[in-house]
Amino acid sequence: DVKLGGLGPDYEAIKEKVKKLKQQKEYAKQIKEHNMKNMASVQRLPTKPQVISSVSRQKALEYAKKIPRPKPFIARQPDEEVKEERVLPQTLSGDSLPQIASLETLQNRHEKEKQVVAAFRTLHII
């Protein structure tokens, strides 16, 4: 007694699948309603985690106050630059610009690189 597949759709299998899907949807609906009721009762309870978080924040702030601050980095200038006093460049509004410690070294490097480029140009390499 073996039942082989036919040419048309199997209505009995389709009815079983539809019935199973309806049961799943009904169960999901019941669970959703149950969860909504539980959520409403949970929201009414006083919130203790906020109190704990404020206590932990206070502890963190107290700890931060006790940590020694790092010393600010002060760039030391060579003796030659300290001895020479220069007039600081000023803007149009009269504010003085801060002095750059390595400005001379940058200018010297720029001049040397200019000479190198000029040498390359005379040799027609560039």
Side-chain angles (χ1 to χ4, degrees), residues 43-86:
Q43 290 176 350
R44 293 179 196 149
L45 297 175
T47 55
K48 291 184 179 180
Q50 292 178 352
V51 174
I52 294 171
S53 66
S54 66
V55 170
S56 63
R57 177 170 168 72
Q58 290 298 326
K59 287 181 182 178
L61 290 174
E62 289 175 16
Y63 176 75
K65 288 178 184 176
K66 294 177 184 177
I67 295 177
R69 301 273 185 241
K71 296 179 182 178
F73 178 74
I74 301 173
R76 296 185 181 178
Q77 299 176 349
D79 294 336
E80 297 172 2
E81 291 183 8
V82 173
K83 291 179 183 177
E84 295 179 18
E85 293 198 19
R86 299 181 180 176

